[in-house]
Amino acid sequence: MIGLELVVVLGLAVLLGNALGDRFHIAPPIVLLVFGALLGFVPALREVELPPEAVLLIFLPVLLYWESLTTSLREIRRDLRGIILMSTVLVIGTAGAVAAVAHELGLAWGPAWVLGAAVAPTDATAVGVLAKSLPRRNVTLLRAESLINDGTALVVYGLAVGITVGEEHFTVPHVTGLFAVSYVGGAAAGALTAWLVIRARRVFDDPLLGNVAMILTPFTAYLLAELIEASGVLAAVVAGLIMSQAGPRVAGAAMRRQAEESWSLATFLLNGSLFVLVGLQAQSAVRSLHGSDLTQALIAVGVVSAVVVAARFAFNFTFPYLIRLLDRRPQQRLRRMNYRARVVTSIAGFRGAVSLAVALSVPMTLDSGAPFPDRDTIVFVTSGVIVTTLVVQGLLLPIVVRWARLPRDTSVEEERFLAESTATEEALKALPEVADDLGTDPAVAERMRQEYETHLLVVRAGGGETDDEDEDVLRHDRHYTALRLALLAHKRATVLRLRDDHDIDDTVLRQVQRHLDIEEVRLSRRQAAD
């Protein structure tokens, strides 16, 4: 019964948490974390645990795949060097710094490195939600870093746990081999999965079947990588990046619309549920320690949280200057960020559910049968660091963004104007030839030409500075859109009345309503964009 209760509780928490966050202008993940911690006081929910397998094998592939599918490959290529350095050097450096501090606080080196590996990677889910208001380049850097750095952290974690329990040994060739298999194997598994899915989606024309193939993509990529002991995280990311380029050519409009709407809802629910479960698990971690152990663990949370932030600042204020000294090319100068932007990037290094999953994955015992040393402390400190970074840095980020005075990013609007105006112009040029090939009635072709010319006028009027003539065009378009929406409401009321009077069946209602809904959504988005 607890399963059904948990589903209802999680759903209500996600619903209310996001509503309250929007109402009081607080990042929803922070509210959801608080909700999760409060739910931990409910006796029935104290039995709930977040299985690491659920995060690593169910939540993580879906969320990472969707994040990579909706990010910009062009921007990743532009800043690939920085992304790779942040995903490898920064993660290893952070893990090492945390391990050194944790060892000074009393942990043996093995558990200290396990803790460092757990808190080192940033979380794609948290970054995607909390940093989405930043300029596109900053968001892309943060998302790409968090998509890849999990692979590095998991290799460090596996090595640290293996050495601690007595299954692994540390040598440079061995560690190099682990990283090579993790990255090369993961990328290969993702590329192979994407190739197979592209072939499958060309076979399955039905939108439902095509989207079943899409749902299987991240899990298949993750599974193939796990079979060869490579990075399933990187496999899901690579598959998503490849599909982001190939998808528009191999999927139809109906399949894309269905996928976007269903995946947006699914990832929204998964994201929200994860934050609630992290809060619930953090409250559970507090109950696992008592007395002096709890005091020491609380001190460790504060110190480790400071270390992960300090390591990020140190990286962002050293490596960029080293790159500037070594790379003097003009295109390198174009990639530079000022110190204010680097402060924002440093503050936006949130930790999340992946870190907690790593901590919870720590085995209970060593090969000798003895308990794994300081496992409760590792879970507690990891939970505390997650909460600290999400709450403190999440509340601090908007203040830092205002201080940074980052220039407004207009590149998306400019490129959208280029795309819409060029596409419409090319369509107008092709109209006479296409109409002749199809044998279209001249009156129909003329009507289409007028519609496209009107649309082009609206696009150009909204593409930059406007004069009186442009304002008239935009005003007429707004009136036209409002009138169409009002008439759609009358059509919908009429169809509902016919159904209520038993003149048409519910099946007919749904068919007509589907077309009305599509048109209303299109017009509403157009109205919102204006």
Side-chain angles (χ1 to χ4, degrees):
M1 188 64 180
I2 188 63
L4 181 59
E5 293 170 350
L6 183 61
V7 169
V8 174
V9 168
L10 285 177
L12 288 173
V14 171
L15 180 65
L16 295 176
N18 281 275
L20 289 174
D22 292 339
R23 173 68 177 81
F24 294 102
H25 305 290
I26 302 173
I30 297 174
V31 182
L32 294 174
L33 277 173
V34 174
F35 273 22
L38 293 176
L39 289 173
F41 290 103
V42 179
L45 295 178
R46 291 187 176 183
E47 304 173 7
V48 175
E49 294 185 359
L50 180 60
E53 296 82 6
V55 176
L56 295 176
L57 304 179
I58 299 177
F59 285 77
L60 194 58
V62 173
L63 296 175
L64 291 182
Y65 180 71
W66 182 246
E67 287 288 333
S68 60
L69 196 65
T70 54
T71 196
S72 169
L73 184 58
R74 185 190 68 180
E75 295 295 312
I76 291 177
R77 286 171 177 163
R78 176 184 174 182
D79 293 299
L80 184 61
R81 178 172 56 193
I83 291 169
I84 291 175
L85 288 173
M86 295 182 78
S87 303
T88 54
V89 175
L90 176 57
V91 171
I92 296 173
T94 302
V98 170
V101 170
H103 182 65
E104 290 296 321
L105 292 174
L107 269 66
W109 276 113
W113 271 99
V114 172
L115 175 61
V119 300
T122 54
D123 185 70
T125 299
V127 167
V129 175
L130 292 169
K132 60 184 178 181
S133 61
L134 297 177
R136 179 170 62 171
R137 185 187 177 192
N138 300 75
V139 173
T140 302
L141 278 170
L142 292 166
R143 290 177 67 185
E145 173 203 355
S146 59
L147 288 172
I148 301 172
N149 61 16
D150 293 336
T152 304
L154 290 173
V155 172
V156 176
Y157 162 79
L159 187 63
V161 169
I163 292 173
T164 304
V165 300
E167 296 177 350
E168 290 280 3
H169 59 283
F170 181 86
T171 63
V172 174
H174 179 61
V175 174
T176 303
L178 288 177
F179 276 102
V181 170
S182 177
Y183 280 95
V184 177
L192 175 60
T193 303
W195 181 82
L196 293 172
V197 172
I198 290 170
R199 297 298 180 275
R201 289 177 73 166
R202 285 173 175 164
V203 173
F204 300 118
D205 295 330
D206 184 86
L208 288 173
L209 296 179
N211 279 304
V212 169
M214 184 178 178
I215 292 172
L216 289 173
T217 302
F219 300 108
T220 304
Y222 206 99
L223 175 62
L224 288 178
E226 289 290 314
L227 291 176
I228 60 175
E229 298 185 354
S231 172
V233 168
L234 189 60
V237 169
V238 169
L241 291 174
I242 294 175
M243 291 305 300
S244 71
Q245 304 302 300
R249 290 186 174 89
V250 299
M255 187 182 299
R256 284 195 300 273
R257 295 307 312 145
Q258 187 180 82
E260 183 175 340
E261 300 300 337
S262 59
W263 277 72
S264 296
L265 176 60
T267 53
F268 175 79
L269 290 173
L270 287 175
N271 280 336
S273 299
L274 268 180
F275 287 119
V276 176
L277 289 171
V278 166
L280 189 63
Q281 197 64 51
Q283 208 259 23
S284 175
V286 173
R287 297 195 305 269
S288 66
L289 296 173
H290 305 280
S292 61
D293 291 339
L294 178 59
T295 302
Q296 293 177 356
L298 287 172
I299 294 172
V301 168
V303 174
V304 172
S305 299
V307 168
V308 296
V309 175
R312 194 169 181 85
F313 269 93
F315 178 90
N316 284 325
F317 282 88
T318 54
F319 273 81
Y321 293 106
L322 291 175
I323 292 173
R324 290 183 186 184
L325 289 174
L326 298 173
D327 190 349
R328 312 295 294 182
R329 295 175 299 164
Q331 56 265 41
Q332 168 58 30
R333 294 191 179 96
L334 297 176
R335 299 190 185 105
R336 294 178 180 176
M337 289 184 178
N338 61 34
Y339 76 95
R340 289 176 180 264
R342 289 199 296 276
V343 170
V344 172
T345 302
S346 300
I347 291 294
F350 306 105
R351 272 60 184 177
V354 175
S355 293
L356 186 58
V358 169
L360 293 174
S361 298
V362 176
M364 295 290 184
T365 61
L366 305 176
D367 280 354
S368 64
F372 193 98
D374 299 305
R375 185 183 186 278
D376 289 342
T377 301
I378 293 171
V379 174
F380 178 88
V381 174
T382 302
S383 303
V385 171
I386 294 170
V387 173
T388 301
T389 59
L390 288 175
V391 175
V392 176
Q393 293 174 231
L395 294 174
L396 189 61
L397 182 61
I399 300 172
V400 175
V401 170
R402 287 194 294 270
W403 165 82
R405 297 193 300 272
L406 298 176
R408 182 174 176 269
D409 187 358
T410 60
S411 59
V412 173
E413 290 85 351
E414 292 169 359
E415 291 175 12
R416 178 177 174 179
F417 169 72
L418 174 64
E420 290 191 354
S421 59
T422 305
T424 306
E425 289 168 359
E426 294 294 332
L428 279 170
K429 291 178 182 177
L431 177 58
E433 182 180 350
V434 173
D436 288 340
D437 291 342
L438 295 175
T440 306
D441 186 281
V444 176
E446 176 61 20
R447 175 184 173 185
M448 182 65 69
R449 184 188 63 79
Q450 292 176 0
E451 289 181 0
Y452 268 62
E453 287 181 345
T454 301
H455 176 66
L456 185 58
L457 287 174
V458 173
V459 170
R460 287 174 175 170
E465 296 184 3
T466 58
D467 54 21
D468 291 340
E469 184 177 348
D470 291 335
E471 287 294 339
D472 287 339
V473 170
L474 293 174
R475 180 170 54 82
H476 290 159
D477 182 64
R478 287 193 292 269
H479 289 179
Y480 174 81
T481 302
L483 180 60
R484 289 285 298 271
L485 286 169
L487 291 176
L488 279 176
H490 281 278
K491 291 175 72 174
R492 191 185 307 281
T494 300
V495 175
L496 287 171
R497 176 173 54 80
L498 291 172
R499 192 279 309 269
D500 294 341
D501 292 343
H502 307 293
D503 292 326
I504 63 173
D505 186 58
D506 288 301
T507 302
V508 176
L509 168 67
R510 285 191 292 270
Q511 292 174 353
V512 176
Q513 194 171 48
R514 184 180 302 116
H515 292 287
L516 296 177
D517 289 344
I518 291 172
E519 187 175 3
E520 181 177 341
V521 169
R522 180 181 63 83
L523 291 171
S524 297
R525 288 178 177 173
R526 178 176 171 181
Q527 190 177 55
D530 293 340

